């Protein structure tokens, strides 16, 4: 399969009829897969009502079939066709955060969506992305669009169209290139099927923001307690991993430099993930800067690109600084821990 790439200049092309998006939407209607930008990461979309279309997503990504997909909508009116909204908190959260990086897990109405989307569960994850290209594409496709991140399963999620092409060229029908994405980590997933909402995956919207809008919110214990299974099927899989093994270091600059020196002395090629504030302090084979520590949203925005960029260096080991688990820092640490396979060095 030849993968078509359409370039869309968000400012210039969307003010008129955009033939690139029309062509991409037609492919979705023909039950093909199309990758597109959202405000979080690039998604790989397919018609959520059609099982063969949805099967193509799992196949292209090599995604385990028990890991359900997020359904993307462009208008709130699309929701009632396939989901129940009987939780007052869900309504408040939608009103406050849609379009935006928040996914809600709601009871699913049977018989509308392909059962492959929900991996057979009786709930469905839904969100309305805050990106003009994504919204226009979904609108023109005229169907709810199932879309996980557009990477090979296990790799860091794509924040640029070139990441999608690197992973999926020849495996999907097309990519709409709308430039780099903004938030950089995936949506926050919140289950609204019980009395109190539960965060199943930390992301672009923080716990503090959720609580301000809808009252108390819990965090799935399975995310932090290794002995408990996570409530969200996808959270049990290894993810975001660069090719070289990675460890998070709880310690200062000197501790990390000492580890680098030690590993280099053993003949290893060593990388380090740090931020602008400490750009010049490390001596390593690859020093990668990811945003500013005093503005954690910039770390989130750059994280996957930096994780991917280590692969160019053919390293033997990578050390990453750790980040405070507050605000979007929770999502950053959740992704880093997965990238590290939970390897943490207490220095
Ligand atoms: P991705 O599409 O790769 O960003 O991942 C979507 C995340 O949402 C995965 O962790 C899924 O397991 C999770 N998810 C999707 N649908 C549901 C659902 N019905 N219940 C719980 N988690 C879900
Ligand atoms: Mg993903």
């Amino acid at each position: 399969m030849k993968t078509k790439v359409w370039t869309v200049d968000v400012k210039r092309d969307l003010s008129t009829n955009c033939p690139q998006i029309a062509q991409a939407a037609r492919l979705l209607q023909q039950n093909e897969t199309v990758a597109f930008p959202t405000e979080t990461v690039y998604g790989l979309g397919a018609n959520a009502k059609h099982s063969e279309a949805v099967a193509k997503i799992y196949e292209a990504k090599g995604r385990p079939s028990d890991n359900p997909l997020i359904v993307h909508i462009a208008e709130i009116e699309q929701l009632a066709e396939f989901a129940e909204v009987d939780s007052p908190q869900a309504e408040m959260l939608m009103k406050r955060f849609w379009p935006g990086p928040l996914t809600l897990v709601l009871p699913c109405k049977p018989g509308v969506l392909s059962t492959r989307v929900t991996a057979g569960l009786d709930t469905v994850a839904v969100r309305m992305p805050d990106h003009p290209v994504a919204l226009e594409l979904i609108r023109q496709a005229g169907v709810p669009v199932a879309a996980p991140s557009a990477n090979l399963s296990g790799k860091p999620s794509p924040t640029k169209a070139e990441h999608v092409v690197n992973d999926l060229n020849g495996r999907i029908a097309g990519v709409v290139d709308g430039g780099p994405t903004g938030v950089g980590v995936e949506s926050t997933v919140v289950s609204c099927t019980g009395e109190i909402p539960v965060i199943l995956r930390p992301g672009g919207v923080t716990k503090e923001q959720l609580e301000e809008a809808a009252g108390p919110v819990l965090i799935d214990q399975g995310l932090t307690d290794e002995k408990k299974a996570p409530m969200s099927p996808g959270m049990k899989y290894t993810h975001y991993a660069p090719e070289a093994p990675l460890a998070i270091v709880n310690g200062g600059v000197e501790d990390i430099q000492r580890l680098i020196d030690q590993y280099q002395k053993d003949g290893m090629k060593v990388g380090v993930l740090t931020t602008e504030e400490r750009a010049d302090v490390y001596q390593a084979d690859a020093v990668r800067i990811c945003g500013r520590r005093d503005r954690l949203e910039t770390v989130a925005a750059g994280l996957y690109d930096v994780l991917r960029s280590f692969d160019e260096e053919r390293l033997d080991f990578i050390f990453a600084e750790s980040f405070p688990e507050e605000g979007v820092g929770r999502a950053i640490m959740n992704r880093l821990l997965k990238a590290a396979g939970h390897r943490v060095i207490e220095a």
Side-chain angles (χ1 to χ4, degrees):
M1 181 193 305
K2 182 143 175 38
T3 300
K4 173 115 186 93
V5 180
W6 302 273
T7 305
V8 173
D9 180 323
V10 171
K11 286 207 186 81
R12 200 190 56 212
D13 296 337
L14 286 176
S15 51
T16 51
N17 275 345
C18 177
Q20 302 94 307
I21 292 186
Q23 284 176 30
R26 208 165 310 127
L27 281 177
L28 287 176
Q29 288 165 346
Q30 291 164 359
N31 300 319
E32 295 296 339
T33 50
V34 172
F36 59 90
T38 77
E39 81 282 30
T40 58
V41 301
Y42 273 74
L44 178 60
N47 178 356
K49 292 179 167 183
H50 199 280
S51 279
E52 268 170 52
V54 175
K56 289 178 187 171
I57 293 180
Y58 285 98
E59 199 184 316
K61 283 181 57 89
R63 182 175 174 109
S65 60
D66 69 345
N67 189 5
L69 307 178
I70 296 173
V71 176
H72 291 64
I73 56 174
E75 325 274 354
I76 200 84
E77 290 74 32
Q78 285 180 280
L79 190 60
E81 188 190 4
F82 61 86
E84 306 278 359
V85 186
D86 49 12
S87 141
Q89 291 103 324
E91 288 203 28
M92 288 189 263
L93 292 173
M94 271 175 219
K95 221 175 252 158
R96 169 74 176 77
F97 294 107
W98 282 5
L102 176 68
T103 295
L104 298 177
V105 173
L106 301 168
C108 186
K109 291 184 182 167
V112 184
L113 300 175
S114 160
T115 52
R116 291 188 198 208
V117 169
T118 54
L121 299 174
D122 55 7
T123 54
V124 59
V126 200
R127 98 174 179 104
M128 188 189 293
D130 187 14
H131 193 292
V133 171
L135 290 172
E136 188 56 27
L137 180 67
I138 299 164
R139 235 174 251 135
Q140 290 198 24
V143 289
V145 174
S149 50
N151 51 286
L152 285 173
S153 241
K155 290 259 209 140
S157 299
T159 51
K160 296 176 176 170
E162 70 185 69
H163 299 156
V164 179
V165 173
N166 286 346
D167 275 14
L168 300 176
N169 194 22
R171 302 169 73 94
I172 61 176
V175 186
V176 184
D177 181 352
T181 59
V183 179
V185 289
E186 297 85 345
S187 59
T188 306
V189 179
V190 175
S191 171
C192 291
T193 55
E195 205 115 294
I196 301 176
V198 184
I199 298 176
L200 306 186
R201 174 176 77 180
V205 176
T206 64
K207 179 172 189 277
E208 295 80 358
Q209 291 173 312
L210 294 168
E211 294 197 317
E212 203 183 295
V217 170
L218 304 172
I219 299 184
D220 175 13
Q221 293 296 307
L223 291 181
T224 44
D225 186 341
E226 292 236 23
K227 283 178 229 103
K228 288 201 177 112
M231 289 161 72
S232 172
M235 299 309 285
K236 67 175 181 278
Y237 292 107
T238 309
H239 249 105
Y240 318 117
E243 275 157 25
L246 172 107
I248 301 171
V249 186
N250 279 331
V253 170
E254 291 82 27
D255 303 312
I256 296 177
Q257 186 62 53
R258 201 174 316 120
L259 285 163
I260 296 170
D261 295 343
Q262 205 176 316
Y263 278 51
Q264 281 182 328
K265 220 157 96 208
D266 290 338
M268 290 198 200
K269 214 177 154 191
V270 183
V272 61
L273 188 158
T274 181
T275 57
E276 275 174 38
E277 291 92 332
R278 301 175 183 172
D280 300 320
V281 303
Y282 292 110
Q283 306 284 322
D285 296 289
V287 180
R288 289 283 189 269
I289 310 299
C290 187
R292 289 191 61 87
R293 183 167 278 280
D294 59 3
R295 288 182 52 219
L296 285 180
E297 68 280 9
T298 63
V299 176
L303 185 63
Y304 294 142
D305 193 33
V306 166
L307 286 176
R308 277 179 181 260
S309 77
F310 281 118
D311 289 350
E312 296 153 14
E313 304 286 339
R314 311 209 160 275
L315 300 168
D316 298 303
F317 210 88
I318 304 164
F319 294 107
E321 293 179 352
S322 71
F323 294 89
E325 298 220 23
E326 58 196 35
V328 77
R330 274 200 198 93
I332 293 168
M333 283 305 285
N334 170 267
R335 306 310 192 268
L336 262 183
L337 278 165
K338 284 176 144 276
H342 287 270
R343 207 177 291 119
V344 180
I345 299 174
E346 300 291 342

